[in-house]
Amino acid sequence: MQESLLGQGLDLMVYGMGTVFVFLAVLILVTFAMSKLVVRFFPEAPAQVKTIKSTSRKPSSAVDPRTLQVIRAAIQQHRARRSR
Amino acid sequence: MQESLLGQGLDLMVYGMGTVFVFLAVLILVTFAMSKLVVRFFPEAPAQVKTIKSTSRKPSSAVDPRTLQVIRAAIQQHRARRSR
Amino acid sequence: MQESLLGQGLDLMVYGMGTVFVFLAVLILVTFAMSKLVVRFFPEAPAQVKTIKSTSRKPSSAVDPRTLQVIRAAIQQHRARRSR
Amino acid sequence: MNNLYNLWQSSGIAQASSGQVLMLVICLFLLFLAIRKGFEPLLLVPIGFGGLLANIPGAGMAFSATEYAIRHGDLTLLTQMATVLQLQEWSSAQDLLAALNGASFQQLESLKTLAFSAGYNNGMLYNFYNVAIASGAAPLIIFMGVGAMTDFGPLLANPKTLFLGAAAQFGIFATVLGAVALNATGLMDFTIADAAAIGIIGGADGPTAIYVASKLAPDLLGAIAVAAYSYMALVPLIQPPIMRALTNEAERKIVMTQLRHVSKLEKIVFPISLLILVALFLPDAAPLLGMFCFGNLMRECGVVQRLSDTAQNALINITTIFLGLSVGSKLEADKFLDPKTLGILVLGIVAFGIGTAAGVIMAKLMNLVSKQKINPLIGSAGVSAVPMAARVSNKLGLEADPQNFLLMHAMGPNVAGVIGSAVAAGVMIAMVTSMAT
Amino acid sequence: MNNLYNLWQSSGIAQASSGQVLMLVICLFLLFLAIRKGFEPLLLVPIGFGGLLANIPGAGMAFSATEYAIRHGDLTLLTQMATVLQLQEWSSAQDLLAALNGASFQQLESLKTLAFSAGYNNGMLYNFYNVAIASGAAPLIIFMGVGAMTDFGPLLANPKTLFLGAAAQFGIFATVLGAVALNATGLMDFTIADAAAIGIIGGADGPTAIYVASKLAPDLLGAIAVAAYSYMALVPLIQPPIMRALTNEAERKIVMTQLRHVSKLEKIVFPISLLILVALFLPDAAPLLGMFCFGNLMRECGVVQRLSDTAQNALINITTIFLGLSVGSKLEADKFLDPKTLGILVLGIVAFGIGTAAGVIMAKLMNLVSKQKINPLIGSAGVSAVPMAARVSNKLGLEADPQNFLLMHAMGPNVAGVIGSAVAAGVMIAMVTSMAT
Amino acid sequence: MNNLYNLWQSSGIAQASSGQVLMLVICLFLLFLAIRKGFEPLLLVPIGFGGLLANIPGAGMAFSATEYAIRHGDLTLLTQMATVLQLQEWSSAQDLLAALNGASFQQLESLKTLAFSAGYNNGMLYNFYNVAIASGAAPLIIFMGVGAMTDFGPLLANPKTLFLGAAAQFGIFATVLGAVALNATGLMDFTIADAAAIGIIGGADGPTAIYVASKLAPDLLGAIAVAAYSYMALVPLIQPPIMRALTNEAERKIVMTQLRHVSKLEKIVFPISLLILVALFLPDAAPLLGMFCFGNLMRECGVVQRLSDTAQNALINITTIFLGLSVGSKLEADKFLDPKTLGILVLGIVAFGIGTAAGVIMAKLMNLVSKQKINPLIGSAGVSAVPMAARVSNKLGLEADPQNFLLMHAMGPNVAGVIGSAVAAGVMIAMVTSMAT
Ligand code: NA
Ligand code: NA
Ligand code: NA
């Protein structure tokens, strides 16, 4: 530990804050570029939107399909039991 | 091990059973006292119930849509079973 | 390692494949025998089905009251929220 | 040809001991009881199946790397191990295995290093046992889940019933004496730690029994857990004759006043009060009762529903699976097939009977001094075995008077019995540990 | 009679230190805040209860086997331990406990062996702490779950708001300087590692704070976690005065343009892009941001809904229970009742304040150079405290103009603040580690 | 200034090796396949992301403390480590890393102590790997979940189809010979353990492949797992040409008799019977088949629905997340970028092809001796790859005759293939282990 505690604190402040800003600035640039590329080359055309959605909805309907599945399974079980 | 096994067994019996009784007796007293205090100083007045609810609700509100879904599924299950 | 790698490979092939076949052959025999025994001595007669149910339901009926409780609790929560 | 001989040598039939075959039959019978007869299936299915796995000849799924190395290692390795164990004379692997019981911590560590160096590994069930039970974690997590499922309302409405839960613990301590007496006959060789672990069967509470056994008598854990869960399943057969013998028709017809409404705040404050009492008077019961109170507080406080749900479902189910398999690993033939097991089974049922009787008698004693009469049928529920014992009280009550519903009244002593057993467990662990040193 | 004396000796009252009693009161107060006042109950209920358990006198649930052995061992054992620690002069167990802090890894291992050999075991909470926090696993798993719950849509629609999330991290580093300054006054004795761990409270992000504290200052972890979660709950009280002081009516009425629609593909590519940037420029932040991005990718990719659901529910709930109890183990009196705790509480709230101010000021600076005006009220959301801070921005916006809904606009800086804190955490861990050697 | 230089030094760009960059690209491609092409996403998303994390330059998330210390330690530490490893001459950290492979258990323990003493820690993914895979736990838990999801009904209705599941395992053993042959060419350097681990890819069963690879060839685990899951996803492309080439139109039109009803009791008894056979004849397959049978018994016994649900959902999902990340840790550049990986990929697809062919040919052979004709298209389902391979059989059957639904008939050999692979795995682990000593 050659430096004083104060020096270390200042170092942390300067380089830390600097890194946070530089990193997030780069992230902004990359995000802008990524969005541009995606919107340009892979636009969510209505037709495509639907196909994407049909896949992508699986998740956002989130619990839905599984719940449905569970319900269906439960109903089947139930019927099975009844018909036993 | 200075004591005989029988002595140890008797010790366990006497002090063990004693502790169980004394501890639960104290618990009875504390529970009586606690209930008295609660009923006296924090009665479940309709008005106060609502304010308690409003604070305790913030966190649980995060769960809202899922809870509803669960309820619905549960009710369906329950009905299905009853109609068995 | 007295054997050559090739010898080891051949050994694996011969004894491995042999074991797989023999084991699954035995499993076929056992499965046939088991099915025969079950169908013969424990047929799924309607009458017996009911007695099975009554025992097998005990456990699932264990979940029943809890499910009910959950539903009740959920409904209370839901109502409480709505009445906000 | 050599390979074929090796394959046959490694087959189960060639390696099976008669003990293992007997244990396979016993475990199949446990599965039969669980699946067909509904004996506490949530635990007995994993325990029974774990027992099957533990007794597969040659698989060694319940062995530590050290045990496995001793059984399969070559002479060089065994000689090194004997040196570590400071055995002057030994003729077989059995001698080494026998010496493991008395080995010190450092010796065991050295043996472990030798075994791992030679390429041996712990069996899967041994790992499960270490992580789930030896650490104490699984019984405590299940106790937390049980806390999250427990409604203290009936107890809070009538705290006097805590005395019934206290009295029923007499079964535990009477059984300790019984084990000591059995030892005096010379038929079996129980230490005071064994006796305490066996007694806890009378607590009629699975996780408590497993927790105590893992601390005081790990070798008896398999038999103790099997006895505890089996007898809990048999409560509807064990209790009624005792209850009928100790009560008359008039007593069984006593109608109890309806339970008062218990407020939300009382339910929140109760687990905290209980924990503080534990902290002040009985720190030895802190792990068990602490986790129990934590689960109950999560349930009642109303602001951590997510956590409470998980504690009651995913977490307790996952833990149950591994707890069951781990208990099953103690059904390994060498450990289970011991005269002690028979003693445990006999003493266990005696413990249940005495606990039941003590609960009923305590209820009758309380009626002598108290104006508000208690139906003595709810005394038997003090053994815990939640909610089976309470249902038995209710059933016998209805037999005497078809309008007299005792279920909710019996839930009070029923959950009191859980607390009582945990207190007894804490006292016994502390006393036995100090006796042993 | 001897037994009765032993029982009394082992009771909590006889063993309680005043520190433990004080801590029990403090933990009850934490539970009160969590349950009655709704202070981040998902964490503060387990933390508060864990603190109660850790301070039960005589139970030693938060002690390692070594600590427990030092407190309860006999003279022979203590002498052996002192030899291992190379202590020439020592008069009490306290001297040995004090020497543990400076012990080397090998010394600690030797002590552990001594303790286990003598039959002592780790307390339950100590085990939980080791598995959940010392390994780093629990905060990372929670971060994964948070990632699976986070919608980056608002951020992707307006990436500039990342600057607000960057600016608000100023609170972290200003607090580091504050801790250094407090050290200079001589009132407290903080190392640079302590200062960094305290600063991270200003990140307003629980798992990040716990992760950093566990790496840099484990002894302060309890106070840091309690401060972080308490102040996050207090965001609706802490932030508004600062926000009002730094903005005028016209600024608060700025209406922001509606956010554009963000496509599914952008949401899938974003976590991967972020991870690649981390890989290229900031490997030190890889554990935190890696797990965060993994959770978010599971959410957005749409093909692993099972895993995403589990990460958001069963897994995060289970982890939260054990994380909370483990943090509670650091509320053990000897560690928590230290002047440093007071410093941490003061510095923590300063950090929140400075972070809030920096966010608002950055928004005003951006308005100086940018045509598209930003309502400076959303700057304060950059501290993270998701979603509380964004709701505060929204509330103050509605006060100024009842038609101006800022919630979605504030969600951008809000999640940016999470990324910013994780970046700051990575930088600090790397820099402090290299400073310490 | 020094700090700025340090920061740059610690950035990923400065530390990246070309291998790591290549691996990042490969892992991104895996994610693309998983997300966009639907290649077994439940496993390949975590594996691909784990691979990204493992290859972040400088982060060392997949390194043990020892590996990390060797890469970042100072000369003193490296000299100490070289002494432990008994290296006379060494010039760089690479020499030490190379020496790790041949180190004994005690040497590795000493190195670990040195690394921890110097303040280094295991990376997160390394810890995950140890807990989830090296212990063997995760593949077994997943196998339990698969058992709980498996319906043996179709197999019980037509047990003969077990032969198809047996025949398809020919792919495994043929590939072992292929690997041995590749070794003979001098192009690659496979041991018999490597060959066996590669062969198991032909089992078309993910957890079995991971389990075997973790026991026999941990360094190849990454490539083997990736190959196994990728080819399982490619089953609809790999199998049809082979199936068409080996069958004629008439054979493809064979209509099979409807499956008989299977009673509940048969389904309960089957997993127990299977386990008993394993116990008697094949103890080496006990871990895999034991957990599989346990899962199936929980499903069918009907009295532990809670446990069965958890095994099929929360538990298997949690395990999958950590298993995937752990496998990803083996995609670390130094281990994955090896000529062997290419060999593994080639041999893996050959294994699938041979297994498919063997299944179809076995079906035709059975038709020569049996009266009840089997449509040979269901033979290919014997490779497992549940339920993909059965669906392929069904699809080709419908192409030949739009009324001929083969799905349920193909489920029999499909689940038989799972049992067959597990048997093959057990045999290979036992034989290879005895060969190695
Ligand atoms: Na009890
Ligand atoms: Na933040
Ligand atoms: Na297969």
Side-chain angles (χ1 to χ4, degrees):
Chain A
M1 245 195 280
Q2 297 96 337
E3 295 178 80
S4 72
L5 192 64
L6 191 68
Q8 291 181 327
L10 280 171
D11 269 8
L12 259 191
M13 158 78 104
V14 172
Y15 295 105
M17 207 60 211
T19 308
V20 170
F21 258 105
V22 171
F23 185 85
L24 293 194
V26 173
L27 183 57
I28 292 177
L29 293 179
V30 168
T31 306
F32 263 123
M34 183 272 284
S35 286
K36 278 272 152 63
L37 287 174
V38 166
V39 171
R40 176 132 186 202
F41 294 107
F42 307 94
E44 271 192 340
Q48 204 202 346
V49 166
K50 269 177 193 163
T51 61
I52 290 182
K53 255 186 197 160
S54 64
T55 45
S56 76
R57 194 171 292 158
K58 243 171 245 158
S60 75
S61 56
V63 194
D64 245 341
R66 281 193 58 229
T67 309
L68 273 174
Q69 221 173 332
V70 168
I71 295 174
R72 244 178 268 134
I75 292 174
Q76 282 174 355
Q77 266 196 347
H78 169 53
R79 278 183 193 150
R81 271 185 210 155
R82 237 197 327 198
S83 67
R84 234 191 309 193
Chain B
M1 247 195 278
Q2 298 95 336
E3 295 178 82
S4 71
L5 192 64
L6 191 70
Q8 292 180 328
L10 280 172
D11 269 8
L12 260 190
M13 158 80 104
V14 173
Y15 295 107
M17 207 59 212
T19 309
V20 170
F21 258 103
V22 171
F23 186 85
L24 292 194
V26 174
L27 183 57
I28 291 176
L29 294 180
V30 169
T31 306
F32 264 122
M34 183 270 285
S35 286
K36 280 270 153 61
L37 287 174
V38 167
V39 170
R40 174 133 189 199
F41 296 107
F42 308 95
E44 268 191 339
Q48 204 203 350
V49 167
K50 269 179 194 162
T51 61
I52 290 181
K53 261 184 194 161
S54 66
T55 43
S56 72
R57 190 153 315 143
K58 234 172 253 157
S60 68
S61 75
V63 197
D64 240 341
R66 282 194 58 232
T67 309
L68 272 174
Q69 224 171 331
V70 168
I71 297 174
R72 246 176 267 133
I75 291 175
Q76 283 173 355
Q77 266 197 345
H78 171 55
R79 277 184 193 149
R81 272 187 205 152
R82 241 204 318 204
S83 67
R84 237 195 301 201
Chain C
M1 248 195 280
Q2 298 96 334
E3 298 177 78
S4 72
L5 192 63
L6 190 69
Q8 292 181 326
L10 280 172
D11 270 7
L12 261 191
M13 159 80 102
V14 173
Y15 295 106
M17 206 60 210
T19 308
V20 169
F21 258 104
V22 171
F23 186 84
L24 293 195
V26 174
L27 184 56
I28 291 177
L29 294 180
V30 169
T31 305
F32 265 121
M34 183 271 284
S35 285
K36 280 270 153 63
L37 287 174
V38 167
V39 171
R40 176 131 186 204
F41 295 107
F42 307 95
E44 273 192 336
Q48 205 201 348
V49 167
K50 269 176 192 161
T51 62
I52 290 181
K53 251 184 200 166
S54 65
T55 46
S56 76
R57 195 171 291 158
K58 232 174 255 157
S60 76
S61 74
V63 192
D64 246 340
R66 283 196 56 232
T67 309
L68 273 174
Q69 219 172 335
V70 168
I71 296 174
R72 244 177 267 132
I75 291 174
Q76 282 173 353
Q77 265 195 346
H78 172 55
R79 274 184 195 148
R81 270 184 209 152
R82 248 208 310 209
S83 67
R84 227 188 323 195
Chain D
M1 231 39 233
N2 195 25
N3 268 297
L4 208 58
Y5 178 73
N6 282 345
L7 266 180
W8 162 250
Q9 278 287 11
S10 79
S11 84
I13 300 180
Q15 295 185 53
S17 69
S18 56
Q20 287 173 320
V21 174
L22 179 56
M23 283 312 300
L24 290 177
V25 173
I26 290 175
C27 292
L28 288 175
F29 180 66
L30 279 180
L31 288 177
F32 170 80
L33 289 179
I35 296 173
R36 195 74 182 220
K37 300 293 178 195
F39 271 38
E40 296 280 331
L42 289 175
L43 266 294
L44 284 187
V45 167
I47 289 176
F49 207 93
L52 286 182
L53 293 177
N55 285 289
I56 294 182
M61 289 177 74
F63 292 150
S64 69
T66 304
E67 287 173 293
Y68 198 84
I70 292 178
R71 281 163 202 270
H72 293 82
D74 56 14
L75 192 61
T76 323
L77 184 61
L78 293 193
T79 311
Q80 288 176 309
M81 290 185 148
T83 312
V84 169
L85 287 166
Q86 299 177 305
L87 285 185
Q88 306 298 331
E89 293 176 20
W90 59 279
S91 55
S92 73
Q94 290 302 324
D95 296 341
L96 290 175
L97 289 174
L100 281 185
N101 288 324
S104 74
F105 179 78
Q106 279 106 328
Q107 285 177 322
L108 292 177
E109 289 289 300
S110 304
L111 292 177
K112 204 198 291 179
T113 303
L114 281 175
F116 280 122
S117 301
Y120 296 100
N121 277 303
N122 293 330
M124 181 193 75
L125 291 179
Y126 179 85
N127 281 334
F128 286 175
Y129 180 84
N130 266 6
V131 171
I133 297 188
S135 72
L140 295 177
I141 293 170
I142 289 189
F143 227 57
M144 175 175 75
V146 171
M149 291 174 181
T150 298
D151 178 6
F152 277 121
L155 181 66
L156 286 167
N158 192 3
K160 272 187 311 175
T161 55
L162 274 164
F163 272 130
L164 301 176
Q169 308 317 314
F170 188 71
I172 294 179
F173 296 102
T175 309
V176 173
L177 276 191
V180 166
L182 254 183
N183 188 72
T185 65
L187 286 174
M188 301 185 185
D189 182 29
F190 292 124
T191 65
I192 188 69
D194 293 346
I198 296 169
I200 201 71
I201 298 174
D205 189 275
T208 302
I210 292 173
Y211 185 78
V212 172
S214 73
K215 299 283 174 200
L216 298 182
D219 277 354
L220 306 183
L221 191 146
I224 288 173
V226 166
Y229 283 106
S230 301
Y231 294 146
M232 279 161 69
L234 287 174
V235 151
L237 294 182
I238 298 173
Q239 290 196 323
I242 300 169
M243 293 158 73
R244 288 199 190 96
L246 293 173
T247 54
N248 58 41
E249 186 76 15
E251 286 169 334
R252 290 202 287 276
K253 284 190 171 167
I254 292 178
V255 176
M256 296 182 65
T257 50
Q258 219 202 317
L259 294 174
R260 71 171 177 89
H261 170 75
V262 173
S263 79
K264 198 77 199 148
L265 186 56
E266 286 172 80
K267 289 187 179 180
I268 296 177
V269 175
F270 179 73
I272 298 176
S273 310
L274 174 52
L275 184 77
I276 291 174
L277 279 188
V278 168
L280 296 183
F281 300 110
L282 208 63
D284 300 313
L288 276 172
L289 282 176
M291 291 302 274
F292 188 68
C293 291
F294 179 49
N296 193 249
L297 181 65
M298 288 200 290
R299 170 201 182 88
E300 299 296 354
C301 74
V303 291
V304 294
Q305 207 51 48
R306 284 176 70 108
L307 304 185
S308 173
D309 287 346
T310 297
Q312 291 177 50
N313 292 294
L315 184 52
I316 200 172
N317 290 344
I318 291 172
T319 310
T320 301
I321 288 174
F322 292 109
L323 180 83
L325 291 175
S326 302
V327 169
S329 80
K330 290 291 182 183
L331 299 189
E332 198 257 306
D334 286 3
K335 280 156 196 156
F336 190 84
L337 292 179
D338 191 292
K340 289 184 181 179
T341 297
L342 218 64
I344 290 169
L345 291 176
V346 172
L347 289 168
I349 200 160
V350 171
F352 265 68
I354 296 180
T356 302
V360 174
I361 293 170
M362 172 56 90
K364 294 175 71 168
L365 288 179
M366 286 169 71
N367 280 346
L368 294 182
V369 297
S370 160
K371 256 177 285 178
Q372 240 190 349
K373 295 302 174 207
I374 290 173
N375 188 317
L377 289 176
I378 72 169
S380 61
V383 298
S384 25
V386 186
M388 201 79 86
R391 284 195 202 137
V392 169
S393 301
N394 191 51
K395 187 158 158 272
L396 265 73
L398 290 178
E399 280 176 16
D401 170 359
Q403 303 302 322
N404 196 0
F405 295 92
L406 293 174
L407 189 64
M408 289 316 286
H409 296 284
M411 287 309 293
N414 214 191
V415 299
V418 177
I419 300 176
S421 301
V423 169
V427 174
M428 291 208 300
I429 291 176
M431 286 186 71
V432 169
T433 310
S434 83
M435 282 171 182
T437 53
Chain E
M1 231 38 231
N2 195 22
N3 269 297
L4 208 59
Y5 178 74
N6 281 346
L7 265 181
W8 163 250
Q9 277 287 10
S10 79
S11 85
I13 299 180
Q15 295 184 53
S17 68
S18 57
Q20 287 173 320
V21 174
L22 179 55
M23 282 312 300
L24 290 177
V25 173
I26 290 175
C27 292
L28 288 176
F29 181 65
L30 279 181
L31 287 177
F32 171 79
L33 290 179
I35 296 173
R36 193 75 182 219
K37 299 293 178 193
F39 271 38
E40 297 280 331
L42 287 175
L43 266 295
L44 285 186
V45 167
I47 290 176
F49 207 92
L52 286 182
L53 292 178
N55 286 287
I56 293 181
M61 291 178 71
F63 291 151
S64 68
T66 306
E67 288 173 291
Y68 197 83
I70 293 177
R71 282 163 202 269
H72 294 82
D74 56 13
L75 192 60
T76 323
L77 183 61
L78 293 193
T79 311
Q80 287 175 309
M81 289 186 149
T83 311
V84 169
L85 286 166
Q86 299 177 306
L87 285 185
Q88 306 298 331
E89 293 175 20
W90 60 278
S91 55
S92 73
Q94 288 302 321
D95 297 341
L96 290 175
L97 289 174
L100 282 185
N101 287 324
S104 73
F105 178 79
Q106 279 105 327
Q107 286 177 321
L108 292 177
E109 289 289 300
S110 304
L111 293 177
K112 204 197 291 180
T113 303
L114 282 175
F116 279 121
S117 301
Y120 295 101
N121 277 303
N122 294 329
M124 182 194 73
L125 291 178
Y126 180 86
N127 281 335
F128 285 175
Y129 180 86
N130 266 3
V131 171
I133 298 189
S135 72
L140 294 177
I141 293 169
I142 290 190
F143 227 57
M144 176 174 75
V146 171
M149 291 174 181
T150 298
D151 177 7
F152 277 121
L155 181 67
L156 286 167
N158 192 3
K160 274 186 312 178
T161 54
L162 274 164
F163 273 131
L164 302 175
Q169 308 316 315
F170 190 70
I172 293 178
F173 296 101
T175 309
V176 174
L177 276 191
V180 167
L182 254 184
N183 187 71
T185 65
L187 285 174
M188 300 184 186
D189 181 29
F190 292 125
T191 65
I192 189 69
D194 293 347
I198 296 169
I200 201 69
I201 298 173
D205 189 273
T208 302
I210 292 172
Y211 185 78
V212 171
S214 74
K215 299 284 174 197
L216 299 182
D219 277 354
L220 307 182
L221 191 146
I224 288 173
V226 166
Y229 283 106
S230 301
Y231 294 147
M232 279 161 68
L234 287 173
V235 150
L237 295 181
I238 298 173
Q239 290 197 323
I242 300 169
M243 293 159 74
R244 288 199 190 96
L246 293 173
T247 53
N248 59 42
E249 186 75 16
E251 286 170 332
R252 290 200 288 275
K253 285 190 170 167
I254 293 178
V255 175
M256 296 182 66
T257 49
Q258 219 204 315
L259 293 173
R260 73 170 176 90
H261 170 75
V262 174
S263 79
K264 199 72 199 155
L265 186 55
E266 287 173 80
K267 289 187 178 179
I268 295 177
V269 175
F270 180 73
I272 299 176
S273 309
L274 175 51
L275 183 76
I276 290 175
L277 279 186
V278 168
L280 296 183
F281 299 111
L282 208 63
D284 299 313
L288 277 172
L289 282 176
M291 292 301 274
F292 187 67
C293 290
F294 178 49
N296 192 248
L297 181 65
M298 288 200 290
R299 171 201 181 86
E300 300 294 354
C301 74
V303 290
V304 294
Q305 204 52 47
R306 284 176 70 108
L307 305 185
S308 173
D309 286 346
T310 298
Q312 291 176 51
N313 293 294
L315 183 52
I316 201 172
N317 290 345
I318 291 172
T319 311
T320 300
I321 288 173
F322 292 108
L323 181 84
L325 291 175
S326 302
V327 169
S329 79
K330 290 290 181 183
L331 298 188
E332 195 257 309
D334 286 2
K335 279 155 195 156
F336 190 85
L337 292 179
D338 188 294
K340 288 184 181 181
T341 297
L342 219 64
I344 290 168
L345 291 176
V346 172
L347 289 168
I349 200 160
V350 171
F352 265 67
I354 295 179
T356 302
V360 175
I361 292 170
M362 172 54 90
K364 296 175 70 169
L365 289 178
M366 284 168 73
N367 279 346
L368 294 181
V369 297
S370 160
K371 258 179 283 178
Q372 242 190 345
K373 295 306 176 205
I374 290 171
N375 188 317
L377 289 177
I378 72 168
S380 61
V383 296
S384 26
V386 187
M388 201 79 89
R391 283 195 202 138
V392 169
S393 300
N394 191 52
K395 186 158 158 271
L396 266 74
L398 291 178
E399 281 175 17
D401 170 359
Q403 303 302 320
N404 196 1
F405 294 93
L406 293 175
L407 189 65
M408 289 317 285
H409 296 282
M411 286 310 292
N414 214 192
V415 298
V418 177
I419 299 176
S421 302
V423 170
V427 174
M428 291 208 300
I429 291 175
M431 287 186 71
V432 168
T433 309
S434 82
M435 282 171 181
T437 53
Chain F
M1 231 37 233
N2 195 24
N3 269 297
L4 206 58
Y5 178 72
N6 281 346
L7 263 181
W8 161 251
Q9 277 288 10
S10 79
S11 84
I13 300 181
Q15 294 185 54
S17 68
S18 56
Q20 288 173 319
V21 173
L22 179 55
M23 284 311 300
L24 290 177
V25 173
I26 290 175
C27 291
L28 288 175
F29 180 66
L30 279 180
L31 288 177
F32 171 79
L33 290 179
I35 297 173
R36 195 71 181 220
K37 299 292 177 193
F39 271 38
E40 296 280 331
L42 288 175
L43 265 295
L44 285 186
V45 166
I47 290 177
F49 207 93
L52 286 181
L53 293 177
N55 286 288
I56 294 182
M61 290 176 73
F63 292 150
S64 69
T66 305
E67 287 174 291
Y68 198 85
I70 292 179
R71 282 162 202 271
H72 294 82
D74 56 15
L75 192 61
T76 322
L77 183 61
L78 293 193
T79 311
Q80 288 176 309
M81 290 186 148
T83 310
V84 169
L85 287 165
Q86 298 178 306
L87 284 185
Q88 306 298 331
E89 292 176 20
W90 59 281
S91 55
S92 74
Q94 289 303 321
D95 297 341
L96 290 175
L97 288 175
L100 282 185
N101 287 323
S104 73
F105 179 79
Q106 281 104 329
Q107 285 177 322
L108 292 177
E109 289 290 300
S110 305
L111 293 177
K112 204 198 290 181
T113 303
L114 281 175
F116 279 121
S117 301
Y120 295 100
N121 277 303
N122 294 329
M124 180 192 74
L125 291 179
Y126 179 85
N127 281 335
F128 285 175
Y129 181 85
N130 266 5
V131 172
I133 298 189
S135 72
L140 294 178
I141 293 170
I142 289 189
F143 226 57
M144 176 175 74
V146 171
M149 292 173 182
T150 297
D151 178 6
F152 278 120
L155 181 67
L156 286 167
N158 192 3
K160 274 187 310 175
T161 54
L162 274 163
F163 273 131
L164 302 175
Q169 309 314 316
F170 190 71
I172 293 178
F173 295 102
T175 309
V176 173
L177 277 191
V180 166
L182 255 183
N183 188 71
T185 66
L187 285 174
M188 299 183 185
D189 182 29
F190 291 125
T191 65
I192 189 69
D194 293 347
I198 295 169
I200 201 71
I201 297 174
D205 190 275
T208 302
I210 292 172
Y211 185 77
V212 172
S214 74
K215 299 283 175 198
L216 298 182
D219 278 354
L220 306 182
L221 190 146
I224 288 172
V226 166
Y229 283 106
S230 301
Y231 294 147
M232 279 161 69
L234 287 174
V235 151
L237 295 181
I238 297 173
Q239 290 197 323
I242 299 169
M243 294 159 74
R244 288 199 191 97
L246 292 174
T247 54
N248 59 40
E249 186 74 16
E251 287 170 333
R252 290 201 288 274
K253 283 189 170 167
I254 293 176
V255 176
M256 296 181 66
T257 49
Q258 220 203 315
L259 294 173
R260 73 172 176 90
H261 170 75
V262 174
S263 79
K264 198 77 198 151
L265 186 55
E266 286 172 81
K267 289 188 177 178
I268 295 176
V269 176
F270 179 73
I272 298 176
S273 309
L274 175 52
L275 184 76
I276 290 174
L277 279 188
V278 168
L280 295 184
F281 299 111
L282 208 64
D284 300 312
L288 277 171
L289 283 176
M291 292 301 273
F292 188 67
C293 291
F294 178 50
N296 192 249
L297 181 65
M298 288 200 290
R299 170 203 182 85
E300 300 295 355
C301 73
V303 290
V304 294
Q305 206 52 46
R306 284 177 69 111
L307 304 185
S308 173
D309 287 347
T310 298
Q312 292 178 50
N313 293 294
L315 183 52
I316 201 171
N317 291 343
I318 291 172
T319 311
T320 301
I321 289 174
F322 291 109
L323 180 83
L325 290 175
S326 302
V327 169
S329 79
K330 290 291 181 181
L331 299 188
E332 196 256 307
D334 286 3
K335 279 157 195 154
F336 189 86
L337 293 179
D338 189 294
K340 288 184 181 182
T341 298
L342 218 63
I344 290 168
L345 291 177
V346 172
L347 289 168
I349 199 161
V350 171
F352 266 67
I354 295 179
T356 303
V360 174
I361 291 170
M362 173 55 90
K364 295 174 71 169
L365 289 177
M366 287 170 70
N367 280 346
L368 293 182
V369 297
S370 160
K371 257 179 285 180
Q372 241 190 349
K373 296 304 175 203
I374 290 172
N375 189 317
L377 289 177
I378 73 168
S380 61
V383 298
S384 26
V386 186
M388 201 79 86
R391 283 193 203 139
V392 169
S393 301
N394 191 52
K395 187 158 159 273
L396 265 74
L398 290 178
E399 278 174 18
D401 170 359
Q403 304 302 321
N404 195 1
F405 294 93
L406 294 174
L407 189 64
M408 288 318 285
H409 296 284
M411 287 309 293
N414 214 190
V415 300
V418 177
I419 299 176
S421 301
V423 170
V427 175
M428 291 208 300
I429 290 175
M431 287 186 71
V432 169
T433 310
S434 82
M435 283 171 180
T437 53

